């Protein structure tokens, strides 16, 4: 038994082994040994890492493919819904019904792209006339006017459809039937108004602004380069010559005469013409009846019940739905440049 107080042996006896000094070894040697140990523990580690990378890549590709398929089906569903809405509306409009009074609204500004455009109004009128159950077509009007071109198209179509189908057309005025709206109403067989309605304004205008005096005071120079002496016609920053003013006035006078001719043809001997009749003035519904611009006082229910003798009222008005708005947005960018170029032009308006 060894005495704990006995000193350790010296001389020929060897010291116990010490742990190796890792810090004294080169770093590359440590990494190599670590790799060897890892490889020794798991000989297939490289293949394992590659498999994980491949699986992760495949999972990511599958997810991307799923999203692509999802969006494709979403677009297909959207387009299908759009076609379904249009088809069901057309189907509903072509469905035959019993005796009734057909109504087409003409409300707001009469202009291309608006709900009171010739495109929408004419399509609605055709559906109303073609329905064998419609006994008459009523144009329910509440509009301050708008484009003489759009109004002229609608007026011509009213005359054509009346002759083709032999059905009467009545105009029923709510608050306002002025300018281009009256241009349309003049083609009706009879015009019904409220005693306080606003009727008339048979005239044409072309409006705009001129800033030449203001620019002179501010010291602003207008630099407009044109090819053609009248290409800058109606430019608000350039003065208008007497020749250009006369040209514009002649154009408005011609459109005004077209308007007058339509009113006279539609109203015939009922019109009590006065110097102010075609001056652009407007009158109340009661005054309009006295002047022969309208026929009687009455609203939609009165006309359906007492005049058409078909109390059931069916609305054929074609309105801009969500499907059509989405469809137009796809093609809206095509004419965006042209629309911006034309935005500054002052076009004639019957209002």
């Amino acid at each position: 038994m060894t005495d704990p107080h006995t000193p350790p042996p010296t001389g020929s006896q060897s010291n116990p082994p010490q742990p190796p000094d890792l810090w004294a070894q080169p770093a590359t040697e440590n990494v190599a040994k670590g790799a060897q140990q890892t490889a020794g523990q798991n000989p297939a580690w490289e293949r394992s890492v590659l498999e994980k990378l491949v699986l992760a890549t495949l999972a990511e590709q599958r997810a991307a493919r799923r999203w692509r398929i999802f969006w494709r089906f979403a677009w297909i569903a959207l387009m299908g819904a759009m076609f379904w809405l249009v088809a069901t509306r057309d189907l509903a409009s072509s469905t035959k019904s019993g005796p009734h009074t057909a109504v087409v609204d003409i409300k707001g500004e009469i202009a291309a792209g608006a709900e009171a455009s010739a495109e929408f109004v004419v399509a609605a009128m055709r559906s109303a006339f073609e329905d064998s159950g419609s006994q008459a077509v009523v144009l329910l009007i509440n509009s301050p006017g708008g484009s003489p071109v759009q109004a002229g198209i609608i007026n011509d179509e009213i005359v054509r459809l009346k002759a083709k189908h032999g059905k009467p057309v009545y105009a029923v005025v709510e608050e306002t039937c002025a300018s281009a709206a009256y241009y349309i109403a003049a083609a009706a067989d009879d015009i019904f108004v409220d005693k306080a309605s606003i009727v008339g304004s048979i005239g044409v205008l072309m409006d705009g602004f001129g800033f030449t005096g203001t620019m002179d005071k501010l010291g602003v120079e207008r630099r407009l380069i044109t090819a053609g002496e009248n290409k800058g016609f109606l430019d608000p920053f350039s003065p208008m010559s007497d020749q250009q003013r006369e040209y514009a006035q002649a154009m408005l006078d011609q459109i005004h005469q077209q308007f007058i001719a339509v009113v006279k043809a539609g109203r015939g001997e009922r019109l009590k013409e006065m110097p102010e009749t075609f001056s652009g003035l407007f009158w109340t519904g009661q005054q309009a009846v006295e002047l022969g611009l309208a026929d009687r006082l009455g609203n939609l229910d009165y006309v359906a019940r007492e005049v058409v003798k078909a109390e059931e009222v069916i609305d054929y008005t074609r309105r801009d739905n969500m499907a059509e708005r989405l469809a137009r947005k796809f093609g809206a960018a095509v004419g965006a440049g042209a629309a911006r170029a034309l935005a500054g032009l002052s076009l004639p308006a019957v209002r």
Side-chain angles (χ1 to χ4, degrees), residues 284-324:
T284 64
Q286 185 173 347
Q287 291 173 321
V289 173
E290 296 171 358
L291 296 174
L293 294 170
D295 295 285
R296 284 184 276 173
L297 301 180
N299 56 24
L300 174 60
D301 292 335
Y302 171 82
V303 173
R305 183 179 62 253
E306 303 296 336
V307 180
V308 183
K309 306 297 184 181
E311 293 191 41
E312 183 183 2
V313 175
I314 296 181
D315 189 358
Y316 286 80
T317 306
R318 180 173 179 178
R319 294 180 173 85
D320 195 6
N321 59 33
M322 182 183 69
E324 291 173 331

Side-chain angles (χ1 to χ4, degrees), residues 37-48:
Q37 291 175 359
T38 304
Q41 295 172 359
N42 186 7
W45 69 275
E46 292 181 350
R47 188 173 68 178
S48 176

Side-chain angles (χ1 to χ4, degrees), residues 186 188-191 266-272 289 291-293 295:
D189 295 296
D190 288 307
I191 300 176
R267 299 304 297 165
E269 296 180 355
R270 293 172 292 181
L271 183 65
K272 301 177 178 62
V289 173
L291 296 174
L293 294 170
D295 295 285

